[in-house]
Amino acid sequence: MKLFDIILFVLVFCTFIIGIDQAIVIGLAESYWIFMFSLALLFLYGYRKGQRKVREQEELKSAKNQKKKKRKHG
């Protein structure tokens, strides 16, 4: 996990906690935007996590293909 992903996840958690606090203090309707911002960050985190998995799978496939090519020629 990269540093940016860790920071992004912490921001998701912190904005959600801030949203809960503000919902208690000023009401849910006034703090709705904080929850939506937290949700947008969560979607961004999930997207980046998915992209990272796809990239790792592609690297794994290419490494296996290179091993097969070496075995055939070697």
Tab-separated table of all heavy atoms in Angstrom, residues 4-59:
chain	number	residue	atom	x	y	z
A	4	PHE	N	0.124	7.467	-0.319
A	4	PHE	CA	-1.061	8.237	-0.698
A	4	PHE	C	-2.342	7.472	-0.357
A	4	PHE	O	-3.325	8.061	0.092
A	4	PHE	CB	-1.032	8.575	-2.194
A	4	PHE	CG	-2.192	9.414	-2.626
A	4	PHE	CD1	-2.243	10.756	-2.317
A	4	PHE	CD2	-3.244	8.850	-3.329
A	4	PHE	CE1	-3.326	11.538	-2.708
A	4	PHE	CE2	-4.320	9.610	-3.725
A	4	PHE	CZ	-4.370	10.960	-3.414
A	5	ASP	N	-2.329	6.145	-0.553
A	5	ASP	CA	-3.505	5.339	-0.233
A	5	ASP	C	-3.781	5.316	1.263
A	5	ASP	O	-4.932	5.354	1.693
A	5	ASP	CB	-3.329	3.911	-0.755
A	5	ASP	CG	-3.308	3.858	-2.268
A	5	ASP	OD1	-3.911	4.753	-2.901
A	5	ASP	OD2	-2.692	2.933	-2.811
A	6	ILE	N	-2.733	5.265	2.058
A	6	ILE	CA	-2.896	5.298	3.515
A	6	ILE	C	-3.479	6.636	3.951
A	6	ILE	O	-4.416	6.685	4.754
A	6	ILE	CB	-1.550	5.026	4.211
A	6	ILE	CG1	-1.098	3.592	3.921
A	6	ILE	CG2	-1.650	5.265	5.709
A	6	ILE	CD1	0.311	3.292	4.350
A	7	ILE	N	-2.945	7.713	3.402
A	7	ILE	CA	-3.446	9.050	3.736
A	7	ILE	C	-4.906	9.185	3.302
A	7	ILE	O	-5.732	9.736	4.033
A	7	ILE	CB	-2.564	10.138	3.089
A	7	ILE	CG1	-1.194	10.144	3.740
A	7	ILE	CG2	-3.222	11.509	3.190
A	7	ILE	CD1	-0.169	11.012	3.046
A	8	LEU	N	-5.231	8.660	2.135
A	8	LEU	CA	-6.598	8.718	1.630
A	8	LEU	C	-7.556	7.964	2.552
A	8	LEU	O	-8.638	8.451	2.875
A	8	LEU	CB	-6.648	8.147	0.216
A	8	LEU	CG	-7.917	8.341	-0.578
A	8	LEU	CD1	-8.209	9.825	-0.759
A	8	LEU	CD2	-7.783	7.659	-1.927
A	9	PHE	N	-7.153	6.788	3.008
A	9	PHE	CA	-7.999	6.012	3.908
A	9	PHE	C	-8.190	6.731	5.245
A	9	PHE	O	-9.295	6.742	5.801
A	9	PHE	CB	-7.410	4.617	4.128
A	9	PHE	CG	-8.306	3.724	4.930
A	9	PHE	CD1	-9.449	3.189	4.363
A	9	PHE	CD2	-8.015	3.434	6.243
A	9	PHE	CE1	-10.291	2.378	5.101
A	9	PHE	CE2	-8.842	2.624	6.991
A	9	PHE	CZ	-9.986	2.090	6.412
A	10	VAL	N	-7.140	7.334	5.751
A	10	VAL	CA	-7.243	8.089	7.003
A	10	VAL	C	-8.176	9.284	6.821
A	10	VAL	O	-8.981	9.601	7.717
A	10	VAL	CB	-5.847	8.526	7.494
A	10	VAL	CG1	-5.942	9.525	8.624
A	10	VAL	CG2	-5.037	7.318	7.918
A	11	LEU	N	-8.113	9.945	5.679
A	11	LEU	CA	-9.016	11.066	5.400
A	11	LEU	C	-10.473	10.609	5.342
A	11	LEU	O	-11.365	11.313	5.825
A	11	LEU	CB	-8.644	11.752	4.092
A	11	LEU	CG	-7.500	12.738	4.150
A	11	LEU	CD1	-7.145	13.222	2.759
A	11	LEU	CD2	-7.848	13.907	5.046
A	12	VAL	N	-10.708	9.432	4.759
A	12	VAL	CA	-12.063	8.878	4.729
A	12	VAL	C	-12.575	8.703	6.152
A	12	VAL	O	-13.682	9.133	6.497
A	12	VAL	CB	-12.098	7.531	3.972
A	12	VAL	CG1	-13.422	6.828	4.179
A	12	VAL	CG2	-11.841	7.738	2.504
A	13	PHE	N	-11.764	8.083	6.981
A	13	PHE	CA	-12.155	7.824	8.365
A	13	PHE	C	-12.383	9.133	9.127
A	13	PHE	O	-13.391	9.288	9.818
A	13	PHE	CB	-11.073	6.977	9.051
A	13	PHE	CG	-11.410	6.580	10.443
A	13	PHE	CD1	-12.348	5.593	10.691
A	13	PHE	CD2	-10.790	7.190	11.520
A	13	PHE	CE1	-12.667	5.222	11.983
A	13	PHE	CE2	-11.095	6.829	12.814
A	13	PHE	CZ	-12.040	5.845	13.045
A	14	CYS	N	-11.466	10.074	8.990
A	14	CYS	CA	-11.577	11.344	9.726
A	14	CYS	C	-12.784	12.170	9.284
A	14	CYS	O	-13.492	12.723	10.132
A	14	CYS	CB	-10.306	12.165	9.560
A	14	CYS	SG	-8.894	11.466	10.427
A	15	THR	N	-13.025	12.251	7.975
A	15	THR	CA	-14.174	13.034	7.524
A	15	THR	C	-15.489	12.385	7.949
A	15	THR	O	-16.457	13.092	8.243
A	15	THR	CB	-14.167	13.234	5.995
A	15	THR	OG1	-14.069	11.968	5.353
A	15	THR	CG2	-13.029	14.134	5.570
A	16	PHE	N	-15.520	11.062	8.016
A	16	PHE	CA	-16.732	10.399	8.486
A	16	PHE	C	-16.978	10.699	9.968
A	16	PHE	O	-18.105	10.999	10.374
A	16	PHE	CB	-16.637	8.891	8.250
A	16	PHE	CG	-17.902	8.165	8.572
A	16	PHE	CD1	-19.001	8.267	7.738
A	16	PHE	CD2	-18.003	7.388	9.712
A	16	PHE	CE1	-20.186	7.601	8.034
A	16	PHE	CE2	-19.173	6.722	10.014
A	16	PHE	CZ	-20.266	6.828	9.175
A	17	ILE	N	-15.915	10.656	10.774
A	17	ILE	CA	-16.041	10.974	12.200
A	17	ILE	C	-16.454	12.433	12.389
A	17	ILE	O	-17.319	12.746	13.221
A	17	ILE	CB	-14.720	10.682	12.946
A	17	ILE	CG1	-14.394	9.198	12.896
A	17	ILE	CG2	-14.780	11.171	14.393
A	17	ILE	CD1	-15.424	8.294	13.533
A	18	ILE	N	-15.869	13.333	11.615
A	18	ILE	CA	-16.256	14.741	11.682
A	18	ILE	C	-17.716	14.914	11.277
A	18	ILE	O	-18.454	15.692	11.891
A	18	ILE	CB	-15.326	15.606	10.803
A	18	ILE	CG1	-13.936	15.645	11.410
A	18	ILE	CG2	-15.879	17.012	10.628
A	18	ILE	CD1	-12.879	16.249	10.516
A	19	GLY	N	-18.143	14.172	10.256
A	19	GLY	CA	-19.540	14.226	9.835
A	19	GLY	C	-20.491	13.770	10.926
A	19	GLY	O	-21.548	14.377	11.139
A	20	ILE	N	-20.121	12.719	11.631
A	20	ILE	CA	-20.959	12.246	12.754
A	20	ILE	C	-21.036	13.309	13.838
A	20	ILE	O	-22.119	13.602	14.359
A	20	ILE	CB	-20.408	10.921	13.311
A	20	ILE	CG1	-20.625	9.797	12.304
A	20	ILE	CG2	-21.070	10.573	14.641
A	20	ILE	CD1	-19.974	8.487	12.682
A	21	ASP	N	-19.892	13.898	14.164
A	21	ASP	CA	-19.875	14.942	15.185
A	21	ASP	C	-20.752	16.126	14.773
A	21	ASP	O	-21.565	16.614	15.573
A	21	ASP	CB	-18.442	15.416	15.420
A	21	ASP	CG	-18.376	16.549	16.414
A	21	ASP	OD1	-18.787	16.341	17.572
A	21	ASP	OD2	-17.916	17.654	16.020
A	22	GLN	N	-20.602	16.560	13.543
A	22	GLN	CA	-21.394	17.698	13.080
A	22	GLN	C	-22.884	17.358	12.967
A	22	GLN	O	-23.727	18.226	13.182
A	22	GLN	CB	-20.859	18.202	11.734
A	22	GLN	CG	-19.502	18.851	11.841
A	22	GLN	CD	-19.515	20.042	12.775
A	22	GLN	OE1	-20.305	20.956	12.612
A	22	GLN	NE2	-18.637	20.015	13.759
A	23	ALA	N	-23.202	16.117	12.652
A	23	ALA	CA	-24.605	15.707	12.602
A	23	ALA	C	-25.235	15.777	13.985
A	23	ALA	O	-26.398	16.154	14.127
A	23	ALA	CB	-24.726	14.295	12.032
A	24	ILE	N	-24.458	15.433	14.998
A	24	ILE	CA	-24.970	15.517	16.371
A	24	ILE	C	-25.116	16.972	16.803
A	24	ILE	O	-26.111	17.353	17.422
A	24	ILE	CB	-24.038	14.746	17.331
A	24	ILE	CG1	-24.118	13.247	17.050
A	24	ILE	CG2	-24.381	15.040	18.786
A	24	ILE	CD1	-23.080	12.416	17.776
A	25	VAL	N	-24.132	17.803	16.451
A	25	VAL	CA	-24.115	19.195	16.915
A	25	VAL	C	-25.096	20.070	16.135
A	25	VAL	O	-25.908	20.782	16.735
A	25	VAL	CB	-22.680	19.775	16.823
A	25	VAL	CG1	-22.672	21.264	17.130
A	25	VAL	CG2	-21.752	19.036	17.767
A	26	ILE	N	-25.038	20.044	14.783
A	26	ILE	CA	-25.854	20.979	14.008
A	26	ILE	C	-26.953	20.311	13.193
A	26	ILE	O	-27.744	21.000	12.568
A	26	ILE	CB	-24.975	21.843	13.071
A	26	ILE	CG1	-24.218	20.984	12.071
A	26	ILE	CG2	-24.048	22.715	13.864
A	26	ILE	CD1	-23.441	21.768	11.042
A	27	GLY	N	-26.967	18.994	13.158
A	27	GLY	CA	-28.021	18.298	12.434
A	27	GLY	C	-27.513	17.632	11.166
A	27	GLY	O	-26.515	18.054	10.572
A	28	LEU	N	-28.229	16.621	10.749
A	28	LEU	CA	-27.821	15.831	9.593
A	28	LEU	C	-27.915	16.627	8.294
A	28	LEU	O	-27.051	16.513	7.426
A	28	LEU	CB	-28.684	14.566	9.505
A	28	LEU	CG	-28.315	13.570	8.426
A	28	LEU	CD1	-26.904	13.054	8.641
A	28	LEU	CD2	-29.301	12.432	8.393
A	29	ALA	N	-28.929	17.436	8.150
A	29	ALA	CA	-29.111	18.184	6.902
A	29	ALA	C	-27.961	19.169	6.668
A	29	ALA	O	-27.541	19.383	5.527
A	29	ALA	CB	-30.436	18.933	6.928
A	30	GLU	N	-27.445	19.761	7.725
A	30	GLU	CA	-26.352	20.734	7.596
A	30	GLU	C	-24.998	20.060	7.396
A	30	GLU	O	-24.078	20.680	6.871
A	30	GLU	CB	-26.290	21.633	8.840
A	30	GLU	CG	-27.515	22.485	9.039
A	30	GLU	CD	-27.673	23.505	7.923
A	30	GLU	OE1	-26.656	24.020	7.419
A	30	GLU	OE2	-28.821	23.772	7.546
A	31	SER	N	-24.864	18.802	7.815
A	31	SER	CA	-23.577	18.113	7.687
A	31	SER	C	-23.584	17.075	6.570
A	31	SER	O	-22.645	16.286	6.440
A	31	SER	CB	-23.214	17.439	9.008
A	31	SER	OG	-24.185	16.479	9.354
A	32	TYR	N	-24.613	17.101	5.759
A	32	TYR	CA	-24.752	16.133	4.675
A	32	TYR	C	-23.566	16.180	3.718
A	32	TYR	O	-23.069	15.149	3.268
A	32	TYR	CB	-26.066	16.410	3.929
A	32	TYR	CG	-26.333	15.498	2.766
A	32	TYR	CD1	-26.780	14.200	2.981
A	32	TYR	CD2	-26.143	15.937	1.464
A	32	TYR	CE1	-27.035	13.363	1.911
A	32	TYR	CE2	-26.393	15.103	0.396
A	32	TYR	CZ	-26.844	13.815	0.627
A	32	TYR	OH	-27.082	12.985	-0.433
A	33	TRP	N	-23.088	17.378	3.416
A	33	TRP	CA	-21.984	17.539	2.475
A	33	TRP	C	-20.708	16.872	2.983
A	33	TRP	O	-19.899	16.368	2.178
A	33	TRP	CB	-21.735	19.009	2.159
A	33	TRP	CG	-21.198	19.793	3.312
A	33	TRP	CD1	-21.898	20.425	4.292
A	33	TRP	CD2	-19.820	20.014	3.609
A	33	TRP	NE1	-21.042	21.019	5.183
A	33	TRP	CE2	-19.758	20.785	4.786
A	33	TRP	CE3	-18.629	19.636	2.993
A	33	TRP	CZ2	-18.553	21.178	5.365
A	33	TRP	CZ3	-17.428	20.035	3.575
A	33	TRP	CH2	-17.403	20.803	4.735
A	34	ILE	N	-20.508	16.816	4.294
A	34	ILE	CA	-19.325	16.164	4.846
A	34	ILE	C	-19.387	14.659	4.593
A	34	ILE	O	-18.390	14.039	4.216
A	34	ILE	CB	-19.181	16.460	6.357
A	34	ILE	CG1	-19.028	17.962	6.591
A	34	ILE	CG2	-17.991	15.718	6.944
A	34	ILE	CD1	-19.067	18.371	8.044
A	35	PHE	N	-20.572	14.081	4.768
A	35	PHE	CA	-20.738	12.653	4.491
A	35	PHE	C	-20.538	12.350	3.007
A	35	PHE	O	-19.954	11.326	2.649
A	35	PHE	CB	-22.112	12.166	4.951
A	35	PHE	CG	-22.251	12.079	6.439
A	35	PHE	CD1	-23.074	12.959	7.120
A	35	PHE	CD2	-21.574	11.120	7.154
A	35	PHE	CE1	-23.213	12.876	8.485
A	35	PHE	CE2	-21.706	11.035	8.529
A	35	PHE	CZ	-22.523	11.918	9.196
A	36	MET	N	-21.003	13.234	2.152
A	36	MET	CA	-20.828	13.019	0.721
A	36	MET	C	-19.350	13.133	0.315
A	36	MET	O	-18.873	12.380	-0.533
A	36	MET	CB	-21.668	14.014	-0.089
A	36	MET	CG	-23.156	13.759	-0.008
A	36	MET	SD	-23.616	12.123	-0.626
A	36	MET	CE	-23.913	11.231	0.881
A	37	PHE	N	-18.647	14.037	0.934
A	37	PHE	CA	-17.215	14.164	0.684
A	37	PHE	C	-16.483	12.910	1.146
A	37	PHE	O	-15.613	12.389	0.449
A	37	PHE	CB	-16.662	15.416	1.381
A	37	PHE	CG	-15.227	15.687	1.085
A	37	PHE	CD1	-14.826	16.090	-0.176
A	37	PHE	CD2	-14.272	15.539	2.063
A	37	PHE	CE1	-13.500	16.339	-0.462
A	37	PHE	CE2	-12.937	15.787	1.797
A	37	PHE	CZ	-12.549	16.186	0.535
A	38	SER	N	-16.858	12.398	2.310
A	38	SER	CA	-16.279	11.165	2.827
A	38	SER	C	-16.568	9.991	1.893
A	38	SER	O	-15.693	9.161	1.617
A	38	SER	CB	-16.821	10.878	4.223
A	38	SER	OG	-16.328	9.667	4.723
A	39	LEU	N	-17.772	9.933	1.376
A	39	LEU	CA	-18.152	8.867	0.453
A	39	LEU	C	-17.380	8.974	-0.865
A	39	LEU	O	-16.932	7.958	-1.417
A	39	LEU	CB	-19.654	8.918	0.194
A	39	LEU	CG	-20.261	7.763	-0.580
A	39	LEU	CD1	-20.091	6.461	0.181
A	39	LEU	CD2	-21.721	8.032	-0.843
A	40	ALA	N	-17.179	10.184	-1.352
A	40	ALA	CA	-16.397	10.379	-2.573
A	40	ALA	C	-14.953	9.921	-2.371
A	40	ALA	O	-14.364	9.271	-3.244
A	40	ALA	CB	-16.442	11.841	-3.002
A	41	LEU	N	-14.376	10.242	-1.215
A	41	LEU	CA	-13.022	9.782	-0.916
A	41	LEU	C	-12.969	8.260	-0.817
A	41	LEU	O	-11.994	7.636	-1.250
A	41	LEU	CB	-12.518	10.412	0.387
A	41	LEU	CG	-12.213	11.900	0.359
A	41	LEU	CD1	-11.835	12.382	1.757
A	41	LEU	CD2	-11.108	12.208	-0.619
A	42	LEU	N	-14.011	7.660	-0.254
A	42	LEU	CA	-14.068	6.204	-0.153
A	42	LEU	C	-14.134	5.568	-1.540
A	42	LEU	O	-13.470	4.560	-1.806
A	42	LEU	CB	-15.269	5.775	0.686
A	42	LEU	CG	-15.420	4.277	0.934
A	42	LEU	CD1	-14.244	3.753	1.745
A	42	LEU	CD2	-16.729	3.999	1.648
A	43	PHE	N	-14.910	6.147	-2.440
A	43	PHE	CA	-14.974	5.643	-3.816
A	43	PHE	C	-13.611	5.767	-4.502
A	43	PHE	O	-13.189	4.862	-5.227
A	43	PHE	CB	-16.033	6.378	-4.626
A	43	PHE	CG	-17.439	5.991	-4.288
A	43	PHE	CD1	-18.470	6.871	-4.505
A	43	PHE	CD2	-17.747	4.745	-3.764
A	43	PHE	CE1	-19.784	6.529	-4.218
A	43	PHE	CE2	-19.050	4.389	-3.471
A	43	PHE	CZ	-20.074	5.287	-3.697
A	44	LEU	N	-12.933	6.890	-4.280
A	44	LEU	CA	-11.608	7.077	-4.858
A	44	LEU	C	-10.635	6.035	-4.323
A	44	LEU	O	-9.848	5.460	-5.079
A	44	LEU	CB	-11.091	8.488	-4.567
A	44	LEU	CG	-9.696	8.826	-5.077
A	44	LEU	CD1	-9.645	8.724	-6.599
A	44	LEU	CD2	-9.294	10.205	-4.606
A	45	TYR	N	-10.697	5.764	-3.033
A	45	TYR	CA	-9.831	4.752	-2.429
A	45	TYR	C	-10.120	3.375	-3.031
A	45	TYR	O	-9.196	2.638	-3.377
A	45	TYR	CB	-10.031	4.723	-0.911
A	45	TYR	CG	-9.269	3.619	-0.236
A	45	TYR	CD1	-7.905	3.728	-0.017
A	45	TYR	CD2	-9.912	2.465	0.190
A	45	TYR	CE1	-7.198	2.709	0.596
A	45	TYR	CE2	-9.215	1.442	0.801
A	45	TYR	CZ	-7.850	1.569	1.005
A	45	TYR	OH	-7.166	0.551	1.604
A	46	GLY	N	-11.379	3.021	-3.171
A	46	GLY	CA	-11.753	1.741	-3.754
A	46	GLY	C	-11.309	1.617	-5.201
A	46	GLY	O	-10.855	0.554	-5.635
A	47	TYR	N	-11.424	2.696	-5.952
A	47	TYR	CA	-10.989	2.702	-7.346
A	47	TYR	C	-9.491	2.470	-7.441
A	47	TYR	O	-9.022	1.660	-8.244
A	47	TYR	CB	-11.371	4.031	-8.002
A	47	TYR	CG	-10.866	4.172	-9.411
A	47	TYR	CD1	-11.475	3.490	-10.454
A	47	TYR	CD2	-9.769	4.981	-9.694
A	47	TYR	CE1	-11.008	3.611	-11.753
A	47	TYR	CE2	-9.296	5.112	-10.975
A	47	TYR	CZ	-9.920	4.420	-12.000
A	47	TYR	OH	-9.448	4.540	-13.267
A	48	ARG	N	-8.731	3.183	-6.626
A	48	ARG	CA	-7.274	3.022	-6.638
A	48	ARG	C	-6.874	1.614	-6.209
A	48	ARG	O	-5.938	1.039	-6.761
A	48	ARG	CB	-6.606	4.055	-5.730
A	48	ARG	CG	-6.658	5.467	-6.293
A	48	ARG	CD	-5.979	6.453	-5.367
A	48	ARG	NE	-4.633	6.081	-5.022
A	48	ARG	CZ	-3.538	6.407	-5.732
A	48	ARG	NH1	-3.680	7.139	-6.815
A	48	ARG	NH2	-2.348	6.030	-5.338
A	49	LYS	N	-7.578	1.059	-5.245
A	49	LYS	CA	-7.287	-0.299	-4.784
A	49	LYS	C	-7.557	-1.307	-5.898
A	49	LYS	O	-6.764	-2.230	-6.117
A	49	LYS	CB	-8.146	-0.616	-3.558
A	49	LYS	CG	-7.838	-1.920	-2.903
A	49	LYS	CD	-8.675	-2.102	-1.658
A	49	LYS	CE	-8.434	-3.429	-1.008
A	49	LYS	NZ	-9.290	-3.625	0.176
A	50	GLY	N	-8.642	-1.138	-6.618
A	50	GLY	CA	-8.965	-2.015	-7.734
A	50	GLY	C	-7.946	-1.915	-8.852
A	50	GLY	O	-7.542	-2.927	-9.437
A	51	GLN	N	-7.523	-0.690	-9.164
A	51	GLN	CA	-6.518	-0.494	-10.199
A	51	GLN	C	-5.193	-1.146	-9.815
A	51	GLN	O	-4.499	-1.704	-10.657
A	51	GLN	CB	-6.301	1.000	-10.465
A	51	GLN	CG	-7.463	1.672	-11.127
A	51	GLN	CD	-7.700	1.124	-12.515
A	51	GLN	OE1	-6.768	0.900	-13.271
A	51	GLN	NE2	-8.956	0.881	-12.837
A	52	ARG	N	-4.851	-1.063	-8.538
A	52	ARG	CA	-3.612	-1.673	-8.062
A	52	ARG	C	-3.668	-3.201	-8.202
A	52	ARG	O	-2.692	-3.833	-8.622
A	52	ARG	CB	-3.350	-1.276	-6.608
A	52	ARG	CG	-2.021	-1.748	-6.070
A	52	ARG	CD	-1.713	-1.227	-4.667
A	52	ARG	NE	-2.737	-1.557	-3.722
A	52	ARG	CZ	-3.544	-0.680	-3.117
A	52	ARG	NH1	-3.444	0.597	-3.392
A	52	ARG	NH2	-4.443	-1.069	-2.248
A	53	LYS	N	-4.818	-3.803	-7.895
A	53	LYS	CA	-4.971	-5.252	-8.030
A	53	LYS	C	-4.856	-5.686	-9.482
A	53	LYS	O	-4.207	-6.681	-9.788
A	53	LYS	CB	-6.319	-5.710	-7.461
A	53	LYS	CG	-6.349	-5.801	-5.975
A	53	LYS	CD	-7.662	-6.383	-5.491
A	53	LYS	CE	-7.700	-6.469	-3.987
A	53	LYS	NZ	-8.960	-7.042	-3.512
A	54	VAL	N	-5.475	-4.938	-10.382
A	54	VAL	CA	-5.399	-5.262	-11.810
A	54	VAL	C	-3.953	-5.177	-12.291
A	54	VAL	O	-3.469	-6.051	-13.015
A	54	VAL	CB	-6.309	-4.319	-12.631
A	54	VAL	CG1	-6.020	-4.424	-14.112
A	54	VAL	CG2	-7.757	-4.605	-12.330
A	55	ARG	N	-3.254	-4.139	-11.872
A	55	ARG	CA	-1.862	-3.960	-12.265
A	55	ARG	C	-0.995	-5.103	-11.744
A	55	ARG	O	-0.138	-5.626	-12.458
A	55	ARG	CB	-1.345	-2.624	-11.734
A	55	ARG	CG	-0.103	-2.131	-12.398
A	55	ARG	CD	0.315	-0.727	-11.929
A	55	ARG	NE	-0.790	0.169	-11.655
A	55	ARG	CZ	-1.048	0.689	-10.447
A	55	ARG	NH1	-0.292	0.408	-9.414
A	55	ARG	NH2	-2.067	1.515	-10.269
A	56	GLU	N	-1.231	-5.526	-10.494
A	56	GLU	CA	-0.458	-6.631	-9.923
A	56	GLU	C	-0.738	-7.935	-10.658
A	56	GLU	O	0.180	-8.724	-10.892
A	56	GLU	CB	-0.766	-6.782	-8.439
A	56	GLU	CG	-0.198	-5.681	-7.583
A	56	GLU	CD	-0.655	-5.754	-6.134
A	56	GLU	OE1	-1.481	-6.641	-5.804
A	56	GLU	OE2	-0.190	-4.930	-5.336
A	57	GLN	N	-1.984	-8.173	-11.049
A	57	GLN	CA	-2.322	-9.384	-11.788
A	57	GLN	C	-1.666	-9.391	-13.160
A	57	GLN	O	-1.181	-10.424	-13.616
A	57	GLN	CB	-3.837	-9.526	-11.923
A	57	GLN	CG	-4.529	-9.882	-10.634
A	57	GLN	CD	-6.035	-9.905	-10.771
A	57	GLN	OE1	-6.578	-9.522	-11.803
A	57	GLN	NE2	-6.722	-10.345	-9.726
A	58	GLU	N	-1.635	-8.239	-13.826
A	58	GLU	CA	-0.981	-8.149	-15.122
A	58	GLU	C	0.519	-8.403	-15.002
A	58	GLU	O	1.118	-9.082	-15.839
A	58	GLU	CB	-1.238	-6.788	-15.760
A	58	GLU	CG	-2.652	-6.599	-16.247
A	58	GLU	CD	-2.909	-5.203	-16.761
A	58	GLU	OE1	-1.999	-4.342	-16.668
A	58	GLU	OE2	-4.018	-4.956	-17.256
A	59	GLU	N	1.135	-7.868	-13.957
A	59	GLU	CA	2.559	-8.101	-13.740
A	59	GLU	C	2.835	-9.572	-13.460
A	59	GLU	O	3.827	-10.121	-13.927
A	59	GLU	CB	3.072	-7.237	-12.592
A	59	GLU	CG	3.140	-5.757	-12.911
A	59	GLU	CD	3.481	-4.915	-11.698
A	59	GLU	OE1	3.650	-5.480	-10.591
A	59	GLU	OE2	3.577	-3.691	-11.846
